[in-house]
Amino acid sequence: MITVYSEAHQQHHGAAELDRGRLVPCVEQPARAEAVLQALTAANLGPIVSPDDVPIDILARVHEVGYLHFLKTAFTRWRQVHPDSDALPYCWPPSGRGHPPPSLYGQLGHYAYDAGTPITAGTWEAATAAVRVTLSALRHLHAGARMAFALCRPPGHHAGPDYYGGYCFFNNAAVAAQAWTEAGARVAILDVDYHHGNGTQDLFYRRDDVLVISIHADPAEEYPFYWGHADERGEGPGRGYNHNLPLPWGTGWTGYREALDQALSLVAAFKPDGLVVSLGLDTYAQDPIARFALTSDDYPLLGRAIATLNLPTLFVLEGGYHLATLGHHTVAVLRSFALQAATS
Ligand code: SP5
Ligand code: ZN
């Protein structure tokens, strides 16, 4: 298996996020990717390469240009008035979004949907590098590889057409699905992060050419709260091409496996040419911000189950915050997928 990795992710290093009324250290930190890199290297799973210098003009066909311009310039604007903090919103529009106002503070609240996702000096560099990592990994699938892994951060699945949040700025998995689709493939996205992939859902909600399936904690009790219910099925031509499988807090492998089987059946029925997996490892029982109950023994089963689809598969790293096991669990999914793929 080939992994694509860039150390440019280190440039996105937020200081603090709002959590239960207090600013706490950012949960989504550079050490996450370092941990995954270290475990992959130790496991000898295959080459780990730098991204190619791929063009990222595709970003403008996934995200709105006004949003891209805002992200590119926001930190410089912030720094002119705030020399030693990251950019975080504190005020949001109460009833729908309308047009972004001229004020930087107003724009932060317009484009961000939470107060957990600071923009830092290197956010643009890191987030564009994550897109390059993902597109470079996709190239290996174009070249005939059965699987590839985009070891990237910041993560992507909460980022929508013109908004960021949930530690995400550009939707890496959606960019890959869009690029793969433009190359002529029929693509499905399977999101196994603990949180609903609201950005991915939004980006393809009115489309029937990309199937989006997410297994996640029930938004009735868990972030991102406003998306991810079972009755969100797509709109217009996209009706029936979005599926949410919400599960209660405390879900362990038995309950998870049932949802996974449903998800895999839906993917198979769509008859895609390729699969993008939004790989979050925050389903682990000891994850510091999540409440499922998967154990270390379950991640090989997850990888093996996904491999039974027999599809060229791009894995894109999303969440997962238990640093001591994050690398081990990532390797477990990828290795068992690779083993299963080799025997089928
Ligand atoms: C990519 C991804 O997994 N994003 C998740 C974003 C979740 N943000 C809200 C987290 C709230 C954390 N509050 C509990 C922290 C315990 N210290
Ligand atoms: Zn997550």
Side-chain angles (χ1 to χ4, degrees):
M1 178 198 71
I2 195 145
T3 295
V4 184
Y5 170 80
S6 163
E7 63 182 23
H9 76 83
Q10 294 163 356
Q11 296 179 62
H12 176 65
H13 193 172
E17 65 178 275
L18 192 62
D19 173 45
R20 293 169 290 187
R22 296 183 200 285
L23 283 172
V24 302
C26 282
V27 170
E28 200 292 296
Q29 355 152 345
R32 298 179 57 246
E34 311 295 341
V36 175
L37 180 65
Q38 206 180 0
L40 270 176
T41 308
N44 235 319
L45 265 196
I48 300 173
V49 303
S50 296
D52 308 320
D53 190 19
V54 283
I56 54 168
D57 52 294
I58 190 166
L59 268 182
R61 299 194 292 285
V62 173
H63 297 288
E64 287 189 3
V65 289
Y67 170 64
L68 296 175
H69 179 75
F70 164 78
L71 269 189
K72 190 171 193 169
T73 54
F75 189 78
T76 307
R77 294 167 67 197
W78 177 270
R79 184 51 38 114
Q80 283 161 6
V81 266
H82 303 291
D84 31 54
S85 59
D86 299 334
L88 265 189
Y90 71 94
C91 181
W92 285 268
S95 49
R97 297 175 70 205
H99 292 289
S103 154
L104 174 59
Y105 305 109
Q107 288 181 15
L108 284 165
H110 174 89
Y111 288 113
Y113 75 84
D114 72 14
T117 314
I119 298 176
T120 76
T123 296
W124 177 265
E125 278 306 313
T128 52
V131 168
R132 285 201 177 84
V133 164
T134 306
L135 289 172
S136 297
L138 178 63
R139 280 191 167 183
H140 294 285
L141 291 167
H142 288 329
R146 170 69 206 279
M147 69 186 296
F149 177 43
L151 201 188
C152 55
R153 62 171 289 280
H157 75 150
H158 294 301
D162 60 349
Y163 59 82
Y164 67 99
Y167 318 146
C168 303
F169 300 92
F170 299 138
N171 196 314
N172 305 307
V175 165
Q178 177 66 24
W180 214 347
T181 301
E182 289 181 14
R186 184 170 166 85
V187 178
I189 302 175
L190 174 62
D191 189 325
V192 297
D193 187 279
Y194 169 79
H195 304 95
H196 176 239
N198 58 295
T200 311
Q201 164 168 305
D202 243 7
L203 282 161
F204 297 106
Y205 209 59
R206 299 187 56 82
R207 290 170 55 167
D208 60 4
D209 57 339
V210 175
L211 179 73
V212 176
I213 302 183
S214 181
I215 307 170
H216 50 263
D218 192 334
E221 53 192 3
E222 187 55 87
Y223 181 99
F225 306 112
Y226 315 108
W227 301 267
H229 309 89
D231 63 356
E232 295 160 22
R233 301 286 308 278
E235 263 171 28
R239 184 98 194 137
Y241 294 90
N242 188 90
H243 296 273
N244 287 320
L245 301 168
L247 297 169
W249 276 347
T251 293
W253 182 249
T254 307
Y256 196 89
R257 176 74 214 221
E258 281 174 30
L260 182 63
D261 284 342
Q262 272 186 62
L264 297 177
S265 301
L266 289 163
V267 172
F270 183 69
K271 298 194 190 323
D273 306 309
L275 178 68
V276 175
V277 177
S278 269
L279 182 59
L281 292 306
D282 40 9
T283 46
Y284 179 49
Q286 292 183 54
D287 192 279
I289 67 165
R291 297 195 186 202
F292 277 178
L294 267 57
T295 69
S296 296
D297 292 341
D298 300 329
Y299 291 97
L301 305 178
L302 175 60
R304 195 164 71 196
I306 297 170
T308 60
L309 285 170
N310 266 312
L311 290 168
T313 301
L314 174 65
F315 289 90
V316 181
L317 185 64
E318 301 283 2
Y321 308 97
H322 188 258
L323 276 180
T325 60
L326 176 61
H328 178 61
H329 293 162
T330 306
V331 164
V333 173
L334 297 172
R335 180 163 42 204
S336 62
F337 180 102
L339 286 171
Q340 174 70 30
T343 61
S344 59

